[in-house]
C-alpha cells in the first residue's frame, strides 16, 4: 500500500460537538477606501485543516494576518476559543504563523532554529532539548539537526519551518502558501505528511493557498474567496460537485458552462433549452427557479461521454460536434470538441488501456452526452 495514502482523518473535530474554535464575524479590512476583506463571516472547528482558496489579491493573506493579530479589522470581530481577539496582541495569542518564505535564520543550525522560540520564552535547557527532539522526530528531521538551512533541500527547509512553528505548541497554526517553494512531486508527498502531522498533534490548521489541488487534498473544508468575500464554504467534494455560483464552478476545476432558459420546472426535474448548446438539457432534480428563467448549466469535462454514433436513446443531453484538438496527458486525454454554435466543449477521458486501438481522432464527428445527474444548474 502506498504510504502516502495512510492518512488518518478520523480525529474528532469540535464541529461534531457544534462549537466553533475560530469565529470570524462580519470582518472587514479596509486599506483607504478599498476593502481587501469584505464582511467575511466564517467558522473553523477545532482539529480541522481549513483552506482559504482564492486568486491573487482575493484577501486570503489579509484575513490570515488578522487572525494572527498583525492587522486589525476595520469592522467585525474575531473570536478564538471563545475569546474576543480585539484587544489581544499577537504574542498573547496561542496562534503561530508559518510564512511562505519560511524565514529560517541562515547562520543557525536546524536544532537552533527550532529551539529559538523556546529560548526566547526562557524555558529550561532540558525542556527545550526534549521538545525540540520530539518535534524534529515528528517532521523526520532528526538526522539533520547540525545542518544549516543552506545545506538543506527545499522540502527539508519546509519541515524545519513547520517544526519551528509547532514546537511552541500553538492551538492554531496559520500557514501562508506553505508548500509553494516545493516542486510538484515533493509538494504532493508533503501534503499527506502535513495531514498526518496535523492529526497527530491535533492543532487546528488554517492554510492559505491559491492551488486548488492542494486545497482539495489538505482540507476537511475550504472557503473560496473572491474580491474579499467568501464565495462558498464546504468540503472539497461539495464545492466541486455542487458549486453555488458560476464563479465557484469556473474557479474550481474546469467546467463547460452553457446559458439556457428553463422550459419545464416540474417537481424533482428540470428541462432547459440551451441555444448555445443546441439541445435540451434534462436534469434529474429541481432548483428554486421559475419557467422562463435564465440559468447556466455547468457540466464537468469528465462527466461527458464521447462517441462516434448518436445511439438510439433520447435526443436530450446529446449534442453533435467535431473534434478540434486532443491533448494527451498520460493519465487522461483532453478533447476539445466544437459544437454547432461554435462553442468549444472540453471532454476528458481516462486512458484506461495502454493502446486504445480505436481512439477518436482529430476532425472526427462525434456525439457528446451526459447523465441527467451530471449538470449543475446555476442562477448567479
Ligand atoms: P496573493 O495570493 O497574491 O498573496 P491574497 O489573496 O493573499 O493574494 P491579500 O494579500 O490579502 O491577497 O491582498 C488583498 C488585497 O489587499 C490586494 O489587492 C492587495 O493589494 C491589498 N493590500 C494588502 N495589503 C495591503 C496594504 N498594507 N495596503 C494597501 N493594500 C493592501
Amino acid at each position: 500500500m502506498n504510504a502516502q495514502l495512510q492518512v488518518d482523518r478520523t480525529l474528532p473535530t469540535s464541529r461534531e460537538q457544534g462549537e466553533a474554535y475560530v469565529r470570524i464575524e462580519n470582518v472587514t479590512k479596509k486599506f483607504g477606501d478599498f476593502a481587501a476583506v469584505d464582511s467575511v463571516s466564517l467558522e473553523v472547528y477545532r482539529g480541522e485543516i481549513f483552506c482559504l482558496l482564492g486568486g491573487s489579491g482575493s484577501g486570503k493573506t489579509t484575513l490570515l494576518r488578522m487572525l494572527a493579530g498583525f492587522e486589525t479589522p476595520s469592522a467585525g470581530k474575531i473570536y478564538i476559543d471563545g475569546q474576543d481577539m480585539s484587544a489581544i496582541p499577537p504574542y498573547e495569542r496561542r496562534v503561530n504563523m508559518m510564512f511562505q518564505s519560511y524565514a529560517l535564520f541562515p547562520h543557525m543550525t536546524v536544532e537552533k532554529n527550532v529551539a529559538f522560540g523556546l529560548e526566547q520564552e526562557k524555558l529550561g535547557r532540558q525542556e527545550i532539548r526534549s521538545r525540540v527532539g520530539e518535534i524534529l522526530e515528528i517532521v523526520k528531521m532528526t538526522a539533520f539537526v547540525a545542518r544549516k538551512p543552506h545545506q538543506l533541500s527545499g522540502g527539508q527547509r519546509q519541515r524545519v519551518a513547520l517544526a519551528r512553528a509547532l514546537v511552541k505548541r500553538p492551538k492554531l497554526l496559520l500557514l501562508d502558501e506553505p508548500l509553494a517553494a516545493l516542486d510538484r512531486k515533493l509538494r504532493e508527498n508533503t501534503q499527506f505528511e502535513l495531514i498526518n502531522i496535523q492529526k497527530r498533534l491535533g492543532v487546528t490548521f488554517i492554510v492559505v493557498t491559491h492551488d486548488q489541488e492542494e486545497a482539495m487534498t489538505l482540507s476537511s473544508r475550504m472557503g473560496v474567496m473572491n474580491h474579499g468575500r467568501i464565495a462558498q464554504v464546504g468540503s472539497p467534494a461539495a464545492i466541486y460537485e455542487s458549486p453555488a455560483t458560476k464563479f465557484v464552478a469556473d474557479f474550481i476545476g474546469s467546467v463547460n458552462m452553457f446559458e439556457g432558459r428553463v422550459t419545464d420546472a416540474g417537481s424533482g426535474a428540470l428541462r432547459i433549452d440551451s441555444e448555445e448548446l443546441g439541445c435540451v438539457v434534462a436534469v434529474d432534480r429541481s432548483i428554486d427557479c421559475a419557467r422562463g428563467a435564465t440559468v447556466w448549466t455547468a457540466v464537468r469535462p469528465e462527466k461527458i461521454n464521447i462517441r462516434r454514433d448518436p445511439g438510439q436513446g433520447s435526443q436530450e443531453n446529446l449534442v453533435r460536434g467535431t473534434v478540434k484538438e486532443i491533448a494527451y496527458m498520460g493519465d487522461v486525454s483532453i478533447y476539445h470538441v466544437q459544437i454547432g454554435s461554435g462553442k468549444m466543449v472540453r471532454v476528458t477521458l481516462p486512458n484506461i488501456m495502454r493502446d486504445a486501438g480505436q481512439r477518436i481522432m482529430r476532425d472526427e464527428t462525434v456525439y457528446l452526452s451526459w447523465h441527467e445527474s451530471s449538470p449543475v444548474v446555476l442562477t448567479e
Side-chain angles (χ1 to χ4, degrees):
M1 184 178 161
N2 188 341
Q4 285 180 17
L5 299 180
Q6 294 173 350
V7 171
D8 173 17
R9 286 181 180 271
T10 56
L11 195 87
T13 65
S14 59
R15 188 173 185 206
E16 282 135 34
Q17 293 138 32
E19 103 230 25
Y21 184 60
V22 176
R23 208 163 78 237
I24 300 171
E25 273 184 12
N26 269 313
V27 164
T28 294
K29 177 68 190 178
K30 287 196 165 182
F31 295 109
D33 282 345
F34 173 70
V37 171
D38 191 2
S39 312
V40 165
S41 292
L42 190 63
E43 294 189 337
V44 177
Y45 300 94
R46 197 189 304 271
E48 259 200 309
I49 302 187
F50 188 93
C51 283
L52 282 169
L53 177 71
S56 185
S58 58
K60 310 178 294 291
T61 301
T62 305
L63 190 55
L64 209 63
R65 288 174 59 80
M66 286 192 279
L67 289 169
F70 301 141
E71 299 279 4
T72 313
S74 313
K77 288 223 184 282
I78 293 173
Y79 297 87
I80 298 179
D81 207 6
Q83 191 184 9
D84 182 354
M85 289 289 118
S86 307
I88 312 287
Y91 54 87
E92 281 180 17
R93 302 183 183 195
R94 291 228 29 210
V95 175
N96 218 333
M97 186 149 169
M98 190 180 127
F99 296 95
Q100 207 177 100
S101 60
Y102 307 156
L104 297 176
F105 299 117
H107 58 285
M108 286 186 192
T109 62
V110 165
E111 191 171 23
K112 281 278 178 201
N113 259 289
V114 177
F116 183 79
L118 301 182
E119 281 164 4
Q120 295 293 100
E121 284 183 5
K122 307 246 182 306
L123 294 188
R125 278 169 70 102
Q126 209 40 49
E127 164 97 18
I128 293 177
R129 183 179 280 264
S130 109
R131 273 169 67 171
V132 170
E134 184 185 63
I135 204 75
L136 287 175
E137 180 92 39
I138 288 172
V139 300
K140 301 198 192 93
M141 284 298 291
T142 311
F144 302 89
V145 283
R147 294 220 194 152
K148 293 191 174 157
H150 74 273
Q151 297 169 314
L152 301 174
S153 71
Q156 289 161 346
R157 276 200 289 272
Q158 190 272 343
R159 286 160 202 231
V160 179
L162 187 63
R164 204 175 57 168
L166 288 170
V167 78
K168 290 177 81 176
R169 298 184 180 160
K171 290 276 171 64
L172 174 64
L173 184 63
L174 308 172
L175 303 101
D176 191 0
E177 302 275 1
L179 309 178
L182 309 185
D183 67 44
R184 189 187 162 89
K185 197 93 191 166
L186 188 55
R187 204 159 63 216
E188 283 173 8
N189 289 337
T190 313
Q191 284 163 4
F192 288 106
E193 277 178 18
L194 208 56
I195 296 172
N196 279 325
I197 291 169
Q198 184 269 345
K199 291 298 173 206
R200 201 166 150 189
L201 298 176
V203 180
T204 306
F205 277 20
I206 300 182
V207 182
V208 155
T209 178
H210 66 272
D211 179 338
Q212 51 175 284
E213 273 182 37
E214 187 162 301
M216 295 186 83
T217 308
L218 285 178
S219 59
S220 42
R221 290 183 312 138
M222 58 200 226
V224 181
M225 288 195 76
N226 185 28
H227 295 306
R229 289 175 169 260
I230 297 277
Q232 190 172 354
V233 174
S235 67
I239 288 191
Y240 187 81
E241 300 293 352
S242 309
T245 62
K246 284 195 291 171
F247 169 80
V248 176
D250 195 39
F251 186 74
I252 306 289
S254 53
V255 75
N256 298 290
M257 200 114 56
F258 310 98
E259 190 174 332
R261 211 167 35 81
V262 175
T263 52
D264 187 359
S267 63
L270 275 179
R271 293 269 178 301
I272 297 156
D273 193 358
S274 171
E275 223 172 273
E276 207 178 13
L277 189 54
C279 78
V280 170
V281 180
V283 186
D284 67 357
R285 61 205 178 282
S286 53
I287 61 160
D288 187 17
C289 67
R291 233 180 116 195
T294 297
V295 292
W296 289 266
T297 302
V299 191
R300 298 282 186 198
E302 74 279 7
K303 293 184 170 55
I304 299 179
N305 299 312
I306 182 165
R307 296 192 308 247
R308 287 194 174 90
D309 65 274
Q312 303 290 317
S314 155
Q315 296 300 297
E316 294 174 339
N317 295 344
L318 180 71
V319 61
R320 197 168 87 137
T322 308
V323 177
K324 290 292 178 189
E325 296 291 345
I326 305 169
Y328 174 75
M329 309 296 286
D331 53 349
V332 296
S333 288
I334 302 170
Y335 290 75
H336 285 185
V337 178
Q338 191 166 40
I339 57 174
S341 65
K343 192 163 170 129
M344 225 39 109
V345 180
R346 189 180 164 105
V347 182
T348 49
L349 288 187
N351 290 319
I352 295 168
M353 308 293 278
R354 268 185 64 228
D355 181 17
Q358 288 296 300
R359 212 171 257 156
I360 289 171
M361 307 297 278
R362 193 195 296 205
D363 294 329
E364 277 200 60
T365 297
V366 290
Y367 292 84
L368 306 179
S369 62
W370 52 90
H371 190 262
E372 292 186 358
S373 64
S374 297
V376 174
V377 181
L378 302 164
T379 55
E380 56 174 315

